[in-house]
Amino acid sequence: MVIVAAVDHSDQAQAVIQEADTLAQQFAEPIHVLHVMKRSEAIQAEEDSLTHTDEAVSVDDLRDRAADVAAELAEANSPGAETVTVGRIGDPAAEIVSYAGERDARYIVVSPQQRSQTGKILFGSVAQSVLLDADCPVVSLRARTQA
């Protein structure tokens, strides 16, 4: 079993990794820090690559870029538990739930983004979808209000 820390580029990533580390140490489980690159980000990276080098970016390279984000966040927050960093591409909620299922996760740790009601209706909530769809317990940290 593993503890999955689902991170993004937000300030909440630090809190997600810290909470995952607390759980990992409590249950003697490794942490898998997971960053999912949205399809729109992957398309933008592909377009940027074609503009600058005329070479397509491979899917493996895009996954590596997503894993690099997870690695940077893990290193910056120095969890005490054994840590694996993972990158995926696609719908963040679906990929988080899928990855946790594949790894028989003990917990998933997420943190919702602070959004207006309209933003939630238009864009949905990754954290909410993970809470509803995951087969394991989900720890959802309180969203910080923006100052």
Side-chain angles (χ1 to χ4, degrees):
M1 297 186 119
V2 301
I3 308 297
V4 176
V7 296
D8 58 12
H9 296 285
S10 73
D11 294 336
Q12 299 282 92
Q14 177 182 5
V16 168
I17 292 173
Q18 289 172 348
E19 186 64 28
D21 188 47
T22 299
L23 290 167
Q25 290 186 39
Q26 181 71 32
F27 294 104
E29 301 283 3
I31 300 171
H32 285 208
V33 180
L34 172 64
H35 175 71
V36 179
M37 179 184 286
K38 296 176 190 170
R39 285 188 181 96
S40 60
E41 294 171 312
I43 291 167
Q44 185 62 52
E46 179 73 18
E47 288 174 357
D48 291 347
S49 176
L50 290 173
T51 300
H52 294 92
T53 65
D54 288 335
E55 291 183 28
V57 179
S58 71
V59 172
D60 289 338
D61 184 45
L62 292 170
R63 283 189 194 114
D64 289 345
R65 290 182 190 189
D68 289 345
V69 171
E72 288 172 19
L73 291 166
E75 287 174 21
N77 295 290
S78 307
E82 175 189 342
T83 305
V84 173
T85 56
V86 181
R88 289 232 171 151
I89 303 166
D91 173 64
E95 291 296 327
I96 292 165
V97 170
S98 174
Y99 185 82
E102 292 166 12
R103 299 298 183 277
D104 192 26
R106 183 180 290 266
Y107 288 98
I108 300 170
V109 183
V110 296
S111 183
Q113 301 254 345
Q114 186 69 26
R115 284 201 179 134
S116 68
Q117 290 299 326
T118 304
K120 288 178 185 175
I121 291 169
L122 292 175
F123 303 110
S125 168
V126 171
Q128 180 179 358
S129 294
V130 171
L131 282 163
L132 293 172
D133 296 336
D135 291 331
C136 66
V138 177
V139 176
S140 177
L141 304 179
R142 173 177 249 175
R144 293 183 189 165
T145 48
Q146 296 176 350

